[in-house]
Amino acid sequence: MLVKWIRCSVVDRRGFERGQRKWAGILGEPGFLGQSGGWSRGRPEVAHVFAFWENRVFYDSFMARGHDRLAASQSGTYKDMRVKLFEYRFDVKTGFEPDFTDADVVRVAHSRVYEDRVDHFALMQQKVWNPAMAGSPGMLRGVFGEAPGHEFLVLSMWQSSAERGKYRPEGLARLSARAETERDVEALTGDVVQLEPSWTV
């Protein structure tokens, strides 16, 4: 599975949202599995969109054919768009499906990992972070993906921000020490995204 993460700064919120709803036209594209997104909790002008495809072949085919027509309706409504593609590595919790209907919030963590620590980082995600997240109230499902250049994405879906609040600092510091995160990770960015149901395809 291919995970696409788009992040941009929106300059025309109403126009952007109107255009985002037009992405419903992607339904029925071969290999398309689902898409949704929303607004950053910390920076209200930042929008995130997450899309899932069966594989790179289907995705490339769509990009060559139908993408530009759908994207045209959002032209001029945003700036600083960043797009990253990640290959699925494993589930966070179990049985990941790109289904957003029961989730309110998506947590996104993007790491650039030192080259000689990649295997350790992935192992710690499985042995330390996944069990902790899976046991957190309100955590529904998630996915761990990898991109070229030792970049990783952890995308987790949560029932509500209140529940996500229970997965917090003192526990995180302990888990981070156990996983030796500082030795593995060169750079880490993250965000909490309030999902917009009208963006879900």
Side-chain angles (χ1 to χ4, degrees), residues 29-130:
E29 280 287 337
F32 173 73
L33 300 175
Q35 178 170 294
S36 193
W39 299 101
S40 164
R41 276 291 184 74
R43 292 176 297 158
E45 79 288 356
V46 172
H48 295 263
V49 177
F50 310 101
F52 299 83
W53 292 83
E54 269 180 50
N55 58 44
R56 185 67 190 249
V57 174
F58 283 126
Y59 171 74
D60 285 344
S61 171
F62 165 69
M63 290 301 289
R65 291 177 301 99
H67 173 270
D68 292 357
R69 179 178 47 81
L70 288 169
S73 61
Q74 284 174 305
S75 178
T77 65
Y78 61 84
K79 59 181 184 176
D80 306 327
M81 177 175 277
R82 283 180 238 177
V83 179
K84 283 266 176 200
L85 299 173
F86 296 85
E87 287 285 350
Y88 167 90
R89 284 276 303 267
F90 50 77
D91 292 351
V92 179
K93 214 166 179 176
T94 54
F96 179 79
E97 292 285 334
D99 172 16
F100 292 85
T101 51
D102 53 352
D104 305 315
V105 170
V106 166
R107 172 90 174 93
V108 54
H110 174 223
S111 305
R112 193 166 66 249
V113 175
Y114 294 112
E115 186 174 359
D116 61 337
R117 302 288 293 183
V118 163
D119 291 341
H120 182 265
F121 178 77
L123 183 67
M124 290 300 100
Q125 184 65 44
Q126 286 181 297
K127 301 280 190 220
V128 176
W129 292 106
N130 280 11

